[in-house]
C-alpha cells in the first residue's frame, strides 16, 4: 500500500546542467516545512544533486530530455523524493550501484548512488533499457523539541 501524502510538489525540466541547481533548491525549499537541521537539509540537497546529475549525464548523453522530480511529505515526517527520466536506462542496476562504477567517462567518479544511499534512509532504483530510470529516496526528518 502506498503511503498517504500530506503534501507534494512535482517539477519537470530539460536535462540541462543549469537545472540541477534549480531542482536542488526547489526540493530544499519544499523540505524546509519539516524543519530539518542544516545537516539534514545539506544531505537532501546533495542526494537530489547526485540523482539529477546522473539523469543529465547518463540518461541523455547526446541529447536533451525530460527529467521529473516529485517530492512528497509522508506521515511520520518522511520526505520522499522521486527523480525520473525517460532516457536510455541502466543495463545493470546492481553493477551501476557499485562504488566507482561509471559509464560517464574519466571525469565521472562513479559515486552517485553510493552518495545518495549514504545520505538517505532508503534508495530504490528502477530502470529499463530504452525507457528510462526512476530513483526513489526517503529520509525521515527528526522532530525537534519546540523552543521555549
Amino acid at each position: 500500500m502506498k503511503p498517504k501524502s500530506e503534501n507534494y510538489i512535482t517539477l519537470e525540466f530539460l536535462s540541462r546542467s543549469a537545472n540541477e541547481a534549480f531542482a536542488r533548491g526547489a526540493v530544499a525549499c519544499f523540505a524546509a516545512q519539516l524543519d530539518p537541521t542544516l545537516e539534514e537539509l545539506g544531505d537532501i540537497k546533495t542526494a537530489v544533486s547526485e540523482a539529477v546529475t546522473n539523469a543529465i549525464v547518463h540518461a541523455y548523453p547526446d541529447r536533451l530530455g525530460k527529467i521529473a522530480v516529485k517530492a512528497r511529505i509522508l506521515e511520520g515526517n518522511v520526505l520522499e523524493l522521486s527523480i525520473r527520466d525517460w532516457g536510455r536506462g541502466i543495463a545493470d542496476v546492481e553493477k551501476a550501484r557499485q562504488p566507482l562504477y561509471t559509464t560517464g567517462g574519466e571525469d565521472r567518479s562513479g559515486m552517485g548512488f553510493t552518495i545518495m544511499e549514504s545520505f538517505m534512509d532508503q534508495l530504490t532504483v528502477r530502470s529499463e533499457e530504452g525507457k528510462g530510470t526512476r530513483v526513489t529516496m526517503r529520509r525521515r526528518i527528526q522532530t525537534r523539541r519546540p523552543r521555549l
Side-chain angles (χ1 to χ4, degrees), residues 14 19 32 34 36 59 63 67 71 79 103-104 112 118 124 127:
L14 283 175
N19 289 332
L34 293 170
R63 65 182 172 95
I67 298 173
L79 177 68
T103 59
S118 69
T124 306
S127 189

Side-chain angles (χ1 to χ4, degrees), residues 47-62:
V48 169
S49 180
E50 292 294 333
V52 170
T53 298
N54 274 359
I56 291 168
V57 171
H58 300 289
Y60 306 108
D62 53 4

Side-chain angles (χ1 to χ4, degrees), residues 24-148:
R24 184 179 65 232
V27 169
C29 288
F30 179 76
Q33 65 192 288
L34 293 170
D35 195 25
T37 64
L38 288 176
E39 182 179 349
E40 289 170 324
L41 200 55
D43 291 352
I44 291 162
K45 289 166 69 174
T46 299
V48 169
S49 180
E50 292 294 333
V52 170
T53 298
N54 274 359
I56 291 168
V57 171
H58 300 289
Y60 306 108
D62 53 4
R63 65 182 172 95
L64 287 176
K66 179 172 68 171
I67 298 173
V69 174
K70 184 169 188 175
R72 298 190 317 153
I73 294 175
L74 307 176
E75 294 173 349
N77 244 26
V78 174
L79 177 68
E80 180 183 78
L81 305 171
S82 173
I83 293 81
R84 180 153 199 275
D85 67 68
W86 290 262
R88 68 181 186 179
I90 302 170
D92 186 339
V93 171
E94 290 308 310
K95 189 173 184 179
R97 288 185 69 165
Q98 296 301 311
L100 305 177
Y101 177 81
T102 185
T103 59
E106 292 179 17
D107 59 331
R108 310 308 308 175
S109 72
M111 294 298 291
F113 286 130
T114 302
I115 291 168
M116 287 179 245
E117 199 163 32
S118 69
F119 287 150
M120 303 300 279
D121 297 329
Q122 182 181 349
L123 173 70
T124 306
V125 182
R126 292 197 169 87
S127 189
E128 189 174 342
E129 282 190 276
K131 295 192 176 181
T133 302
R134 180 187 309 267
V135 173
T136 304
M137 303 178 280
R138 287 187 179 174
R139 171 83 181 248
R140 185 177 181 283
I141 304 302
Q142 296 299 316
T143 304
R144 295 189 281 169
R145 292 182 180 170
R147 293 183 183 167
L148 298 176

